[in-house]
Amino acid sequence: LNLHSISTTTTTTSPTTTSMSHNHRPLHRSTADTSTTSSTPSRSISKDNTNLLKMPLLGGSGGLPSLHAHHQQSNYASNLSREDSTAASTTFPTSMGHSDNNNNNDDTLSHTESQFRSDVSVSSVSSSFTAAFVQQHHQPRSTSQIIQIHHGVYKPKKKSNSYISSSSSVTSQRDLLPIPTDPASTIEDLDDIYAIKSMKPYRRNPVLFIIFIISSICTLGFLNLLCRWFPGLQLYLTCLPCRLRSATHMLITAKYTNMKTACKIRDLSLHMMDPETHYMEIQLFRLFEYRKATYIYDEDVGIYRKTEFTLAYPFSHIHREFGKGVDEASRQKRRIFFGRNSIEIDSKNVFALLVDEVLNPFYFFQILCIVVWGMDEYYVYAATIAIMSLASACMGLYETKKNRNRLKNMTKFHCEVVRYVGDKREVINSSDIVPGDVIEIPDGPAPCDIVLLSGQCIVNESMLTGESIPVVKTEIAPASDDVYSYSAHKNHTIFSGTIVLQKRKQRRDKVYGIACRTGYATSKGTLILSILFPKPNRFKFYKDSFKFVGVMFVVAMILFTLSSIQLFRLHVPWHEIILRALDIVTIAVPPSLPIAMTVGTAFAIDRLKKQKVYCISPPRINVSGKIQLMCFDKTGTLTEDGLDLEGIRPGNKQGFDELVQADHLYDILSGGNSAHKLLLQALASCHSLTYVGTSLVGDPLEQKIFEATKYDLMDENEESSAPATVKPPISDMELDGNVDPLEQLMNMEEVAILRRFDFRSSLQRMSVIVKDIRYKHTISFVKGSPEMIQKLCQKKTIPKNFSKTLYKYAHRGFRVLACAYKKMTHVEMRDVNHIQRIDAESDLIFLGLIVMSNKMKSVTPRIISTLNRSMIRSVMVTGDNPYTAISVAKQCGILLPDDVVHLGTWNKGDSENPIQWVNADTGATLDLNSPDVDYEQINLAVVGDVFDVLVQSQNVSLLQLVLNRSNVFARMSPSQKMQLIERYQDQNLSVGMCGDGANDCSALKTAHIGISLSDSEASIAAPFTCTRPDINCVPIVFREGKAALATSFSMFKYIAMYSLVQSVTVIILYSINSNLADWQFLFVDLGLIFPIVWLIGTTKARQSLVKESPEGTLISFRVFFSLIGHFIMAASLLVFVWVDMRFQSWFVPLVPHESNKKNLRCTEATCMFIASSFSTLSIGMAFSISKPFKKNVSSNWLYTLTLIGLFCVVSYLTLFPDPISKYIFKIVDIPATYRVRLWIYCLLHMVAAYLYEKILVIRCLGYPVHKSQFRLGKLRLQYNTV
């Protein structure tokens, strides 16, 4: 079950071990200790009770809410304490809050470790995995636990704020330490993949299984085919519901797709020899695999738990306890739990893939249709459709095989790596890596997800993020108490599949790390899982299309009954009746509907590719036609990617100095006072830049600042473990002739970078600890957002005009950073790695501001204006300063230049009114509770911490008001961007996101459509990737989406009407036991339907983006009005022709013969063939009306010529049929005057159908215009809980 955030209460028990020896003595005896009253005796193995070894369950004193996850940085060892002495094993609180007992950390930890070494048997030392449970008190297991048990159906409860994890054991100490809560460590992509709606245990019944085998033989395998289409059916037929403990199979229903998967439960035993007693220890496991993950039965709580290795421990603990590697005993178990470190795609031969393709319901229905047509002696039609279906299947097989091979080649990777176990060094294949292994970082692709323990790496992560700029990965500090998080500490994690460009040694003679995730659990494995198990498409259009097929099947059954009764009255033989009835089913249920509805999407993807926009998720094309709100990142998306350094404003408590221009930065600051020189050193050293070969790589912003200092970075020696240094240029030094030049060079103001704390968006800063080589001072330089630096600095060092100066630059659209420093007294080189980040970044002295200009991209105002005219709301979501964001929003058109914007600020001390709304221009406050406030006219702006307050509070009305009236969200972290999009989606808005693909990955994936501006042609960061670095692609995607969606609706209506028209035609002819001839069916299907379906999607999208949108659902008045109207006109034409023909003086009615084939050449069939052909063509022309979403149909000259040609052919068969046509299509002679009359009837129907669709449906009913703002209910703006 998806247990990452579910709390429980449970009874704690000791592990149970089964041991075997020559004299059958138990391996472990009961032991006693002052802290433990008892231990569970050994349990024998029985066939009916095969148990997973019980593991020690660790309790806690309360869960840690997700909001306060950053408080985990405190030392968790201080919270270790002894709990209830009556419990079978000691428990610890998992809450990582602050404690007052910091002085006894080491003593408490060592006492606890020794206590557990004496309490727990060897079996618990090598138990299957540890588990941390968040609970208030130890209580017996009940129905209020993780799983609610109702009649054998197991359903997970709603998620809480607690976090449950499981990891493989390494040593006794690691097994028994509590696992800190880490809400952020779950991969977002896996939530949809592994989310389970229900789990139903089943046990195979021998009698039912025998009955199933006999039934399969009697039905010639059709029962097996049904079980193939409906995975849960076989379990229903062969198994009985049972208790979870005795289940042999598990039926799992996915949460979002309702897809059922039958999983077989396996019993597995692991034999291990105890090195001291030489007894054989047998560990028994019950497990099953679901979507490449292993679930193991936990007898203590009576559930199956998904295994997951976690490193949610303080950095210091990871170095100390995990840095020695994994022993062989633990490695064997981890291979069971986590499998091999390889992403293996099931390889199928061509025959197996062909069988899968043919047994697909679509092709199987086609096969049944071909069989029916063949038995009905429609040999030509059946053979033609069979050839086309086979060709289609072969093409599908080719594409499937090609994609599978491509996916397999992408995932197939093995290399040799060096693994360390203690002091032992061994070379292994990368597929043998298990979580917890300590390995040396190899060059090239990373074999798994690795937490860097020592050294530094330069990594290319373009495969994951689409960002081509290399990323610096640094080691986790050995003395830090920061708790590792997989998602929060990406700068310390090398992800699988990313390319290691360069390694740099630091403290050790090697660069190594610990494998934290392997196989499908890695970032690369997550990508493959998202391809194998794609997210469900919640677009209503696709759901309605399946409903329509079901409705058509019901209609087919009605027609089946009516035709059977009608033919029975004509005394038609039973086998003929069955064939006729089945034939009407093949006509009423259109098998070509799924293919026809993808035509528009296929052509849209091709047109997008020509405009450098690449799509990896075709269903998102149609979704893009319904977008109502578009979110934009600022830097690199709306503005230029690179920033220009405008200058530096040094500052002190008296105020700011004049702006130092970038061109004169080094000359002025190097010749200034000590504060100026410190500021210059801060600019030169506080960055994450490094060399790859001879190229300086890193953040372009930091490169601009560093280049302005004219300093040189000395770290190009990869083999050296010496710290990187920066020093001023030698060429600019004026050497004194009276002093030794070597001494002058030694007195250069060179700075050694001893330690770096990387930038974290949640902290809004980065810092470095440096050593001034000349003066031997140890200094901490901090760079970050001005608001954050202001909070961290001593108040007396902040310039008096700080806020005014910051507001001036931000209001003019400049991006501003601040610098500060702190002298680290009494700090030696050996102590640097033991410094906590909070110590290095507190009590700072302010240095100055960095002012950068971020130019607007030339196309941005025009594109935003286009979206505004199209009623698509634009919202800016950025991590920049709110005043800068407001200024840029007004420049690009998201806000009007004269708009009054009120910025929400957080008053931490005011619990009654924690958010204050301040005018961004005047500073005046706004009371939202005032009756004079017009909620439909105000403009709000929100920063990240205020957004968090709104989300955490219970005031839904205020949150809705902010979402509705805020177009600027500033200081937003990546996770907050994702939450914002989710909140908009909760308001039933179709939301898009456009960003650079790096920090915006989660938001791009969460949105209904995400557009990544990236250099690569296809990136997993978003469904759409544009290689052009501007937002010009956004309206292009929207235009193609509207055109593709309109085409899909046209295809749906056309195929539906074709089926209905053919059904009415056949039903009328059944009244005289006649039907359309073989070539007549073939002409309609291939001569009329196929060209229209294929070419209607080639009409290009309209050049301008319109405000109207196609319908998002098939169940709408407009769709039904169109279908019903056309059906009435077409059916009226057929009935009128049928009646009018019978009143003609020359008409001789058919005398029905028992054999249907002898009734095909008759006047009735000829007239119905002509009328139905014209009806099919007329409806196709009516549904070809392309405005307002596509260009005029006349612009598509190929399609226009095709329609004209088809009209001429049908008119020729009506007016001037030649003998060959008469013979092929079984057309009888009709008087010329009636042929003209019939042609006029059909022409009038064609004109009526065209005018009906154009005037009544399109012009009168029109298309919906979706508003980007949602209707606000009754507002209640008081703050209940914050």
Side-chain angles (χ1 to χ4, degrees):
L1 293 178
N2 192 8
L3 301 179
H4 298 297
S5 58
I6 305 175
S7 62
T8 185
T9 55
T10 185
T11 303
T12 307
T13 59
S14 301
T16 303
T17 302
T18 303
S19 59
M20 296 181 63
S21 65
H22 62 280
N23 55 0
H24 303 286
R25 290 182 301 173
L27 174 63
H28 306 295
R29 294 185 174 90
S30 300
T31 58
D33 190 77
T34 57
S35 61
T36 307
T37 59
S38 64
S39 64
T40 306
S42 301
R43 182 179 297 177
S44 60
I45 304 175
S46 65
K47 184 176 181 180
D48 297 331
N49 189 19
T50 306
N51 301 319
L52 168 70
L53 285 179
K54 294 183 178 179
M55 70 295 295
L57 302 180
L58 305 179
S61 60
L64 186 65
S66 302
L67 177 64
H68 304 292
H70 60 276
H71 291 315
Q72 296 172 357
Q73 298 175 0
S74 61
N75 192 330
Y76 79 109
S78 61
N79 287 324
L80 299 180
S81 60
R82 296 179 59 179
E83 291 287 340
D84 187 1
S85 60
T86 60
S89 61
T90 307
T91 59
F92 295 99
T94 59
S95 176
M96 294 297 105
H98 296 279
S99 175
D100 296 328
N101 301 326
N102 293 330
N103 297 329
N104 299 323
N105 289 348
D106 298 334
D107 295 338
T108 306
L109 183 61
S110 61
H111 171 75
T112 304
E113 293 170 0
S114 61
Q115 170 188 329
F116 271 93
R117 291 192 185 99
S118 61
D119 288 350
V120 183
S121 61
V122 177
S123 63
S124 64
V125 172
S126 58
S127 62
S128 59
F129 50 79
T130 60
F133 291 90
V134 181
Q135 58 183 13
Q136 293 293 338
H137 305 284
H138 298 295
Q139 296 177 356
R141 178 159 48 94
S142 66
T143 56
S144 63
Q145 294 179 359
I146 301 174
I147 305 300
Q148 293 180 342
I149 306 176
H150 299 290
H151 307 293
V153 179
Y154 295 75
K155 295 185 177 181
K157 292 181 65 178
K158 294 182 179 180
K159 291 184 179 181
S160 68
N161 288 331
S162 305
Y163 176 73
I164 296 179
S165 176
S166 59
S167 66
S168 183
S169 61
V170 182
T171 64
S172 60
Q173 181 178 350
R174 265 168 277 165
D175 279 346
L176 299 173
L177 285 174
I179 299 176
T181 57
D182 182 16
S185 66
T186 305
I187 304 177
E188 302 124 355
D189 296 335
L190 296 183
D191 289 346
D192 289 342
I193 295 173
Y194 292 125
I196 294 175
K197 183 177 181 180
S198 65
M199 298 175 64
K200 298 181 181 180
Y202 287 87
R203 185 173 184 83
R204 175 159 290 175
N205 185 284
V207 177
L208 293 179
F209 184 72
I210 295 174
I211 296 175
F212 174 80
I213 296 297
I214 297 174
S215 301
S216 300
I217 297 174
C218 295
T219 58
L220 301 179
F222 183 72
L223 182 60
N224 297 80
L225 188 61
L226 291 178
C227 294
R228 181 187 182 92
W229 295 341
F230 305 99
L233 181 59
Q234 186 170 354
L235 285 185
Y236 294 141
L237 298 177
T238 61
C239 302
L240 294 175
C242 65
R243 299 183 63 184
L244 195 64
R245 181 190 298 271
S246 59
T248 59
H249 294 78
M250 192 72 70
L251 182 63
I252 299 177
T253 304
K255 181 177 180 180
Y256 298 106
T257 62
N258 287 325
M259 182 182 296
K260 297 184 183 297
T261 305
C263 302
K264 185 177 181 180
I265 298 174
R266 296 183 295 127
D267 292 329
L268 189 145
S269 61
L270 179 64
H271 298 68
M272 300 179 62
M273 179 70 71
D274 187 270
E276 297 180 358
T277 61
H278 301 288
Y279 283 96
M280 181 65 69
E281 178 184 341
I282 301 179
Q283 295 187 2
L284 306 177
F285 306 98
R286 302 205 71 204
L287 53 88
F288 67 87
E289 291 186 2
Y290 173 67
R291 295 187 173 182
K292 310 299 182 181
T294 303
Y295 290 76
I296 297 183
Y297 184 63
D298 183 351
E299 186 177 323
D300 291 307
V301 291
I303 61 171
Y304 278 92
R305 308 184 79 244
K306 178 175 167 290
T307 58
E308 180 186 20
F309 183 80
T310 180
L311 285 176
Y313 293 97
F315 292 172
S316 57
H317 179 77
I318 295 175
H319 272 278
R320 184 173 63 253
E321 301 300 332
F322 290 87
K324 298 179 182 179
V326 182
D327 55 38
E328 183 60 29
S330 298
R331 191 175 296 120
Q332 290 182 23
K333 285 180 295 209
R334 296 187 189 192
R335 288 197 186 100
I336 297 174
F337 301 150
F338 307 106
R340 291 170 58 83
N341 179 39
S342 60
I343 303 173
E344 299 175 354
I345 305 297
D346 298 334
S347 58
K348 292 185 178 181
N349 54 36
V350 176
F351 178 76
L353 291 175
L354 181 61
V355 171
D356 289 342
E357 197 79 18
V358 171
L359 295 183
N360 182 281
F362 167 72
Y363 284 108
F364 187 77
F365 182 69
Q366 286 277 38
I367 293 173
L368 292 180
C369 294
I370 293 170
V371 172
V372 171
W373 297 328
M375 294 176 64
D376 204 14
E377 300 180 11
Y378 285 93
Y379 299 122
V380 176
Y381 184 76
T384 305
I385 299 300
I387 293 173
M388 293 184 62
S389 298
L390 182 61
S392 177
C394 291
M395 291 178 61
L397 175 64
Y398 171 76
E399 289 293 329
T400 302
K401 185 69 174 177
K402 184 178 71 173
N403 293 334
R404 185 175 288 271
N405 289 337
R406 182 182 176 186
L407 192 61
K408 190 173 182 180
N409 293 333
M410 185 176 69
T411 59
K412 186 178 181 180
F413 173 75
H414 297 288
C415 65
E416 289 188 346
V417 296
V418 178
R419 179 170 64 195
Y420 295 92
V421 182
D423 296 331
K424 182 181 177 182
R425 179 182 184 274
E426 55 184 355
V427 179
I428 62 170
N429 190 282
S430 60
S431 61
D432 295 328
I433 298 175
V434 298
D437 271 339
V438 175
I439 60 174
E440 191 170 333
I441 308 299
D443 294 320
C448 59
D449 289 351
I450 307 170
V451 178
L452 200 57
L453 294 181
S454 177
Q456 175 180 293
C457 294
I458 312 298
V459 181
N460 184 349
E461 293 186 341
S462 59
M463 185 201 76
L464 294 178
T465 64
E467 182 64 53
S468 59
I469 299 176
V471 180
V472 179
K473 302 290 183 177
T474 58
E475 64 181 33
I476 58 174
S480 174
D481 285 337
D482 289 354
V483 178
Y484 175 78
S485 169
Y486 182 80
S487 59
H489 294 100
K490 294 181 179 180
N491 55 310
H492 301 308
T493 308
I494 301 175
F495 298 104
S496 174
T498 58
I499 310 299
V500 178
L501 302 177
Q502 177 181 295
K503 299 179 294 184
R504 178 177 174 81
K505 302 173 185 177
Q506 289 187 348
R507 296 175 295 103
R508 305 288 180 87
D509 58 350
K510 58 183 179 291
V511 180
Y512 66 94
I514 180 172
C516 61
R517 300 195 181 203
T518 58
Y520 279 97
T522 63
S523 56
K524 184 177 179 180
T526 304
L527 163 62
I528 304 303
L529 286 174
S530 65
I531 297 174
L532 296 177
F533 309 102
K535 288 184 178 181
N537 195 319
R538 298 181 177 90
F539 195 34
K540 208 172 182 183
F541 174 76
Y542 296 107
K543 297 179 181 179
D544 293 344
S545 63
F546 288 106
K547 294 178 181 178
F548 168 76
V549 173
V551 172
M552 293 301 295
F553 185 78
V554 174
V555 173
M557 291 298 100
I558 296 174
L559 296 177
F560 180 94
T561 305
L562 294 177
S563 61
S564 299
I565 296 173
Q566 194 171 16
L567 294 173
F568 177 76
R569 291 176 178 175
L570 296 174
H571 305 289
V572 177
W574 275 108
H575 70 277
E576 287 281 343
I577 294 177
I578 294 175
L579 283 177
R580 296 283 77 73
L582 291 176
D583 191 26
I584 197 69
V585 173
T586 63
I587 295 173
V589 180
S592 58
L593 181 62
I595 294 179
M597 292 179 64
T598 61
V599 170
T601 300
F603 284 108
I605 291 176
D606 185 65
R607 289 193 294 265
L608 285 173
K609 190 179 297 184
K610 294 178 181 178
Q611 301 187 68
K612 305 299 181 183
V613 180
Y614 301 89
C615 177
I616 62 173
S617 179
R620 301 294 181 100
I621 295 285
N622 284 339
V623 178
S624 64
K626 298 294 295 180
I627 294 300
Q628 302 162 264
L629 185 144
M630 193 68 189
C631 297
F632 293 96
D633 183 32
K634 183 181 76 69
T635 306
T637 303
L638 299 176
T639 60
E640 294 291 346
D641 199 9
L643 297 173
D644 295 326
L645 182 61
E646 191 73 13
I648 304 296
R649 289 292 301 268
N652 50 48
K653 61 182 180 180
Q654 281 77 25
F656 285 99
D657 297 343
E658 293 297 324
L659 182 71
V660 180
Q661 299 294 331
D663 296 338
H664 308 290
L665 182 63
Y666 175 76
D667 298 331
I668 295 178
L669 294 185
S670 62
N673 55 34
S674 59
H676 288 179
K677 293 180 179 179
L678 283 173
L679 178 57
L680 183 62
Q681 290 181 348
L683 299 175
S685 61
C686 193
H687 54 71
S688 300
L689 302 177
T690 188
Y691 277 98
V692 175
T694 58
S695 301
L696 188 66
V697 298
D699 191 322
L701 182 151
E702 293 182 337
Q703 288 193 43
K704 289 284 182 68
I705 298 174
F706 180 74
E707 290 170 357
T709 64
K710 297 184 180 181
Y711 269 58
D712 294 324
L713 176 63
M714 310 297 293
D715 74 336
E716 65 273 10
N717 186 4
E718 300 180 21
E719 299 299 324
S720 173
S721 59
T725 59
V726 291
K727 58 183 179 181
I730 299 178
S731 59
D732 290 350
M733 294 185 60
E734 295 182 2
L735 297 179
D736 188 351
N738 299 324
V739 183
D740 185 5
L742 180 60
E743 182 180 349
Q744 293 186 57
L745 291 175
M746 294 179 63
N747 290 330
M748 289 173 57
E749 296 178 357
E750 184 176 359
V751 174
I753 303 174
L754 305 181
R755 189 177 177 187
R756 179 183 291 114
F757 295 101
D758 293 287
F759 174 80
R760 287 174 59 180
S761 56
S762 59
L763 301 179
Q764 300 181 20
R765 64 184 182 271
M766 72 161 295
S767 61
V768 292
I769 299 176
V770 303
K771 186 82 170 182
D772 188 323
I773 297 179
R774 180 179 182 182
Y775 296 105
K776 308 302 181 183
H777 294 157
T778 302
I779 304 173
S780 169
F781 289 122
V782 184
K783 179 181 67 179
S785 68
E787 299 90 342
M788 183 57 66
I789 298 300
Q790 182 184 21
K791 295 177 183 178
L792 299 175
C793 285
Q794 302 174 18
K795 291 185 178 181
K796 62 182 180 180
T797 67
I798 300 295
K800 297 179 181 179
N801 56 345
F802 177 85
S803 299
K804 183 178 179 180
T805 304
L806 176 61
Y807 171 79
K808 181 183 71 172
Y809 285 113
H811 200 65
R812 290 165 55 189
F814 289 102
R815 183 171 183 179
V816 184
L817 298 176
C819 289
Y821 79 99
K822 176 183 181 180
K823 286 188 178 181
M824 312 289 290
T825 57
H826 308 294
V827 175
E828 302 295 335
M829 287 280 291
R830 61 179 180 273
D831 301 326
V832 170
N833 289 325
H834 297 277
I835 297 176
Q836 300 297 322
R837 179 165 189 164
I838 189 62
D839 295 330
E841 297 177 347
S842 60
D843 199 25
L844 303 176
I845 299 175
F846 186 80
L847 283 175
L849 298 178
I850 306 172
V851 183
M852 293 158 291
S853 60
N854 195 193
K855 296 180 181 178
M856 184 78 63
K857 291 183 179 180
S858 58
V859 302
T860 297
R862 175 173 58 85
I863 300 302
I864 298 298
S865 177
T866 300
L867 298 180
N868 291 339
R869 290 195 302 270
S870 305
M871 301 296 290
I872 298 176
R873 180 181 167 195
S874 299
V875 173
M876 181 190 296
V877 188
T878 178
D880 208 344
N881 182 279
Y883 295 103
T884 303
I886 294 172
S887 174
V888 173
K890 290 185 176 182
Q891 294 176 35
C892 68
I894 293 179
L895 294 172
L896 297 177
D898 55 350
D899 279 346
V900 177
V901 181
H902 289 86
L903 177 64
T905 58
W906 184 16
N907 295 329
K908 296 183 180 180
D910 191 348
S911 59
E912 294 183 358
N913 191 21
I915 300 177
Q916 188 176 14
W917 301 96
V918 181
N919 189 306
D921 294 319
T922 64
T925 60
L926 173 69
D927 184 8
L928 291 181
N929 291 309
S930 173
D932 299 331
V933 176
D934 185 355
Y935 295 122
E936 300 297 331
Q937 299 297 326
I938 61 174
N939 294 287
L940 305 177
V942 171
V943 292
D945 54 359
V946 172
F947 178 75
D948 278 339
V949 172
L950 292 172
V951 172
Q952 298 287 336
S953 70
Q954 298 179 1
N955 196 326
V956 179
S957 298
L958 181 59
L959 179 60
Q960 288 184 340
L961 175 63
V962 170
L963 294 175
N964 207 26
R965 300 307 308 171
S966 295
N967 289 336
V968 174
F969 292 85
R971 295 297 185 208
M972 299 285 283
S973 66
S975 61
Q976 289 170 337
K977 293 180 181 181
M978 180 184 69
Q979 291 180 18
L980 175 65
I981 291 177
E982 290 175 341
R983 295 294 173 174
Y984 275 124
Q985 291 173 336
D986 292 341
Q987 305 300 327
N988 295 322
L989 292 178
S990 297
V991 185
M993 174 71 191
C994 183
D996 57 10
N999 294 328
D1000 305 318
C1001 282
S1002 56
L1004 290 170
K1005 293 178 181 179
T1006 303
H1008 289 109
I1009 68 158
I1011 304 176
S1012 173
L1013 305 181
S1014 172
D1015 295 333
S1016 57
E1017 290 188 358
S1019 169
I1020 65 168
F1024 295 91
T1025 303
C1026 181
T1027 56
R1028 296 174 57 180
D1030 55 53
I1031 63 172
N1032 192 59
C1033 60
V1034 174
I1036 294 176
V1037 172
F1038 291 167
R1039 292 200 303 265
E1040 293 294 346
K1042 290 177 184 286
L1045 187 57
T1047 301
S1048 297
F1049 270 95
S1050 297
M1051 287 293 96
F1052 163 79
K1053 294 193 293 185
Y1054 183 54
I1055 295 298
M1057 285 304 306
Y1058 151 71
S1059 298
L1060 293 174
V1061 169
Q1062 285 284 70
S1063 300
V1064 172
T1065 302
V1066 172
I1067 284 293
I1068 292 175
L1069 291 175
Y1070 275 4
S1071 64
I1072 58 173
N1073 195 22
S1074 181
N1075 202 347
L1076 296 179
D1078 200 351
W1079 282 95
Q1080 290 174 345
F1081 273 120
L1082 198 61
F1083 173 77
V1084 175
D1085 279 8
L1086 297 186
L1088 296 178
I1089 303 296
F1090 182 76
I1092 293 177
V1093 168
W1094 184 254
L1095 294 176
I1096 195 173
T1098 58
T1099 304
K1100 295 182 179 179
R1102 190 173 178 176
Q1103 288 293 338
S1104 59
L1105 185 63
V1106 297
K1107 61 183 179 181
E1108 295 86 4
S1109 296
E1111 297 88 353
T1113 173
L1114 295 174
I1115 305 175
S1116 66
F1117 174 77
R1118 190 177 180 281
V1119 173
F1120 283 114
F1121 185 74
S1122 177
L1123 287 176
I1124 293 173
H1126 284 292
F1127 176 73
I1128 292 175
M1129 287 188 291
S1132 299
L1133 173 66
L1134 294 173
V1135 174
F1136 178 78
V1137 170
W1138 177 265
V1139 175
D1140 182 68
M1141 170 190 60
R1142 305 180 78 86
F1143 280 98
Q1144 302 303 314
S1145 58
W1146 49 264
F1147 175 74
V1148 178
L1150 174 69
V1151 179
H1153 192 274
E1154 287 187 0
S1155 176
N1156 175 270
K1157 297 305 175 184
K1158 295 182 179 181
N1159 300 328
L1160 299 181
R1161 188 184 292 273
C1162 62
T1163 305
E1164 293 90 339
T1166 299
C1167 291
M1168 288 295 99
F1169 166 65
I1170 293 173
S1172 64
S1173 298
F1174 264 110
S1175 295
T1176 303
L1177 181 60
S1178 301
I1179 295 170
M1181 294 180 66
F1183 290 151
S1184 299
I1185 300 175
S1186 52
K1187 289 186 177 180
F1189 308 112
K1190 298 190 290 184
K1191 291 183 177 180
N1192 197 302
V1193 71
S1194 60
S1195 64
N1196 188 352
W1197 60 268
L1198 180 60
Y1199 183 52
T1200 303
L1201 292 178
T1202 300
L1203 291 178
I1204 295 174
L1206 292 177
F1207 176 78
C1208 294
V1209 170
V1210 178
S1211 298
Y1212 175 77
L1213 292 177
T1214 304
L1215 299 173
F1216 315 105
D1218 58 87
I1220 297 178
S1221 300
K1222 291 179 181 179
Y1223 174 77
I1224 293 176
F1225 295 105
K1226 297 185 182 299
I1227 297 176
V1228 299
D1229 289 328
I1230 299 175
T1233 55
Y1234 192 76
R1235 290 179 183 275
V1236 175
R1237 187 174 177 178
L1238 181 60
W1239 183 79
I1240 294 175
Y1241 291 158
C1242 295
L1243 187 62
L1244 291 174
H1245 170 260
M1246 182 177 293
V1247 174
Y1250 184 84
L1251 294 177
Y1252 177 82
E1253 185 70 17
K1254 185 176 182 62
I1255 297 177
L1256 294 181
V1257 177
I1258 295 179
R1259 185 169 298 176
C1260 294
L1261 294 183
Y1263 287 96
V1265 179
H1266 296 288
K1267 294 183 179 180
S1268 56
Q1269 276 91 0
F1270 48 89
R1271 182 179 296 274
L1272 291 172
K1274 185 177 180 180
L1275 295 180
R1276 178 180 51 81
L1277 304 181
Q1278 287 76 20
Y1279 300 88
N1280 295 333
T1281 302
V1282 178

